[in-house]
Amino acid sequence: MKRWLPLAVVLALLSFAGAPQVAAALQDPSADDEPESPWADFEAIADGAEHLEGFFDMYSKEGKLWMAVPEDMMGEGFLFDTRVAQGIGASGLYGGTTLDYFEMALMAIERHGERAYLMRRPHQFVADGDPRAQLAVDFTFSSSVVESADIAATRPDDALVLDVTDWFVSDLSGVSNQAEGAGGGDASFDRGRSFLAGVQSFPDNTNVQAKLTFRAGDPGGTPSVPDPRYVPVTVHYTLARLPENPMTPRVADDRVGSFNTVHKDFSRTDTTFMRRYVNRWRLEPGERVGDLWRPVEPITYYIGPSVPDEYREWFHEGVEAWNTAFEAAGWLDAVRAEDLPEGADPNDIRYSVLRWNTSDNPGYGAIGPSKVDPRTGETLDADILFEANSFRGFHDSWRHVVNPVGAAEAFEMALGVGEYASDGGSRTAVELPGFEASIAAHGALASLALAAAGRIDPGDPIPEELLRQRTVWLVMHEVGHTLGMQHNFRSSASTPTDRLHDTGFTGENGVFSSVMEYPALNVAPPGETTGHFYTFDAGSYDRWYVTYAYTPDDARAAEVARLVADPAHMYGNETGALDPTINTYDLGGDPLAWGAERSALARDLMAVVPDYVLSDNGEYVALSNAIGHLMNEYARALAPAVKYIGGHYMNRDHVGDGRLPFENVERQRQEDALELIVDRLFAEGALDIPPELLQRMGPSGFSDWDTDRTFSGGRYDFPYHEEILDLQTSVMAQLVAPNRMARLRDAEARFGAGSVPTIPEVMGALTNAVWGELAAPRSIVANRRDLQRTWLDLMTGIVVDAPDAMPADARSVARWQLTDIAARIGDATDGGGALDDYTRAHLLEAAARIDKALEAGIEVEGN
């Protein structure tokens, strides 16, 4: 018997907002059944999906990816990292390279309403131990919303299940910035040509790889892209658990060269609020062995399977050579090298891997970045890459040119000026420009010098011991970066120049006191016996650094930092600075004496180089490349001399450590440096190359996507005048650079009158060298006329349109130099000397330019 509700009740029910559902319930006899299961959507997702349990449980099916986020992980921070798993071997897209150096991103997943959001949290701003200051930090600095997703389902354990496919198959990593280089300046993400490539999940980290495609805005620029319209990049994402117990940090000290994790701590009472922590691995004492501790977990590096067999033993040696430094810090067997287990992913954060990479257009010789916990600076992962091209170039650099540079570029790289300037900051883990080219030049110089000394025959391979020392040094250098070490371009000055070839000394102390140096190859001049080529064990600075960073005893670390004035601990990484002992590609405690010796060696080898690089049926381009390498070595050797002029020795001492911040470079040393520069670069005949040598310098025989037959400027013949003039112009500009001129004036006040050469003395020496032919008027050859025009450009520029920061006294002296040369030109042209037509025309033009510049200078001064 059916029951009927009174009509009034029915109408009342239909009148409220849920009327349609109620009406349906009145008509549906199954309305009393159980509600639909809240897990139905999850069951549909899980059915047929691959379930990967781990840090985040992942479900993968039919090209889609879901992530399960338990309630207790919602809002909890985790680490996030991105790197290129597979690139294109060019344009900054190299497999294994990281997209963010050092600090990993601090992420969290938050639920707001029916959506979940991937949040990147600020970690640089803290207020440790001050709750009120922390409140101010919390409402001042907010998180960035990086991604969002609908909640697709809820798992039976209440974990939210999110469809995160579009998080990873996207430009979440920002890799499009690098892809633009291969896409002609524009690269847009192409979702339709991108897909998930793999997922792994482990207890402490989850890995996702996505094969991404970027549509090139201007296709055709990169030969290594199979279809130039579509730039492929596989990105590896890591989501990792934060260390449960944060590592006790080591406070950084500016006397010791560490990479640092930097916070602004608003609970501090000083004016900077800055707190800096050394980036370092966690070492915890385990077994006591004599005076040393064996760590519970050693720092383990894995040698990847791509490293060739002939180098694997040396890679192991280079890693474990660091143990001597850790012994100084109180540790036994702290660093270990192992082969990467079969099947392990080198991109997995659990493995710090040394990998061998092969690129079409290399952007590095080797790089050693690491990833740290942004809270404490604890190093959690390191991925070191070695570029095969740099090893190939070292073997045979005059036949296989890798990223060739001109002599002027080599000089500027060594001096650290212009686009090659560096303050030794974070970029140095990626290696400075020119590192790869300099390594190749080492191989060329070694082969030529050893052949000229009779130690090898022309065409013989480089001695195996040289290859071993070079490989071990390079491995130690990159591992050192991952231990937290910056470059040390002053360490070579710890070795007395007269002991460079004393194997007893260098065997104990190294050729340079830190493997973090950018050294020159240590080869002896003719008549002397070469000792060790490189430092291939931890030097005295390395042991000092590791002791500071890794000793378990904070009090001992504080005492160690105060040993900064010890000559064995020389440290400096400001390549463009004013200290002539802080240089790349030099050796010895007297860089000026070494520069004189090395430039003479390079010059003398140029005269005999055909005997060693040209053979029957060989290519003449081998001679061109060898001469190019020697010219670069010549330029690098003279770079330190420039820094002596107006130079100061820089010290990192604190008050009471023993030295003042700056010490003057003695006047005599500055005068010697100026004399060397004039003799090797600006004197008549300084850079002459015999005609018979120029005649044999040919181009490559091939012209294709990898090789160009022409030299710079599109010329088939070697651009001799241009190469020489470029180097001279660069050096001349540095000699009269505004900062150098200003330092010369300031040094008179800082260290006393007569303590440094004056601006008139420096400019006068340069003028006399460049215009030497006017002392006894005679014809001037082409390359000298070019040099004199460069001098005119420089001096008239100072007078007419002085660069910023150029002292007024320098402008006055430049006017004086122009006036003096105008008078000398008048004497030369009026005297009826034996001047050829080129010379007479050149001098008359120079005189006219000077007159015009002096008039223009007066007008500028009048304004």
Side-chain angles (χ1 to χ4, degrees), residues 45 58-68 147-150 152 161-172 189 191 194-199 208-212 237:
I45 291 169
M58 310 296 285
Y59 298 86
S60 178
K61 180 173 62 174
E62 298 175 353
K64 300 197 69 174
L65 185 65
W66 292 267
M67 174 193 293
E147 282 288 359
S148 68
D150 289 325
V161 180
L162 313 177
D163 182 349
V164 294
T165 311
D166 288 340
W167 287 12
F168 300 107
V169 187
S170 73
D171 192 28
L172 173 61
F189 177 63
R191 178 65 176 86
S194 304
F195 54 87
L196 289 169
V199 185
V208 179
Q209 286 196 11
K211 177 87 169 184
L212 308 179
Y237 304 89

Side-chain angles (χ1 to χ4, degrees), residues 269 352 433 559 562 745 837:
T269 56
S352 294
E559 294 172 357
R562 300 217 65 177
R745 286 205 324 162
D837 291 343

Side-chain angles (χ1 to χ4, degrees), residues 694-765:
L694 290 172
Q695 293 164 17
R696 303 169 78 182
M697 294 172 64
S700 171
F702 295 103
S703 181
D704 49 44
W705 57 268
D706 186 59
T707 307
D708 192 344
R709 287 207 70 196
T710 61
F711 297 100
S712 61
R715 290 177 53 174
Y716 289 96
D717 58 323
F718 185 80
Y720 164 62
H721 283 153
E722 287 79 357
E723 282 289 308
I724 298 302
L725 184 62
D726 284 349
L727 174 58
Q728 292 174 319
T729 300
S730 183
V731 175
M732 191 185 302
Q734 287 303 316
L735 283 176
V736 295
N739 284 344
R740 195 173 313 281
M741 297 292 96
R743 284 202 301 269
L744 285 171
R745 286 205 324 162
D746 290 347
E748 294 186 54
R750 182 174 290 120
F751 301 112
S755 62
V756 293
T758 64
I759 293 176
E761 288 172 334
V762 171
M763 283 192 178

